[in-house]
Amino acid sequence: MPHHTPPRLAEGPRVGIRPFTRTDGVEFVARARESRELHRPWLFPPQTVEEYAGYAGRLIEDPTRAGFLVCDRDDGTIAGFININNIVGGVFQSGALGYGAFAHAAGRGLMREGLDLVVRYAFGPMGLHRLEINVQPGNAASIALARACGFRLEGYSPDMLYIDGAWRDHERWAVTTEMIKD
């Protein structure tokens, strides 16, 4: 599924992060479809190229969002995605993270490496100070990723987000620039 891709914004030993492009739709959707069982009931990424076009368009065009694809350094395949939503500047300098691994990459530590890269990019070039992750309490893999990347549990919010037809409780995890060690 190769196509022209933008340069990576940051690289680790096994993955790099880069922005979404409109031409990633075919690969992204194929990976999302392969990963449906892994994602449900927590996550509902686009399942068609048309859905992807709207999703990617919002991440590309909306200044309150930033989307990153986590890509294998060797072959460039998409291992997962990390989005920063609700970016607020001024005295807040904060954003809310959402993410998902694709099944072929799950459990290999690639998302941990990718999330570390996104956090450093957000706190560096993007100039943010705080990132938050809201996780449903039963999503053990997502909680483990937040914890492994240095996020701290800050609270519990009943009926916080409307997902899959119901208001869902969430744990709130956060990290600030002061918590990240070089």
Side-chain angles (χ1 to χ4, degrees), residues 34-54:
E34 293 166 0
S35 306
R36 187 176 167 90
E37 189 173 312
L38 173 68
H39 291 156
R40 300 298 191 259
W42 321 113
L43 187 61
F44 297 83
Q47 297 290 302
T48 68
V49 173
E50 294 77 21
E51 289 174 358
Y52 174 84

Side-chain angles (χ1 to χ4, degrees), residues 89-109:
V91 298
F92 203 45
Q93 297 297 325
S94 182
L97 288 169
Y99 48 77
F102 289 129
H104 75 283
R108 296 176 36 211

Side-chain angles (χ1 to χ4, degrees), residues 41 136-137 157-170:
Q136 292 180 57
S157 297
D159 301 326
M160 182 177 188
L161 296 173
Y162 193 76
I163 298 173
D164 196 24
W167 288 100
R168 308 290 179 182
D169 300 344
H170 281 73

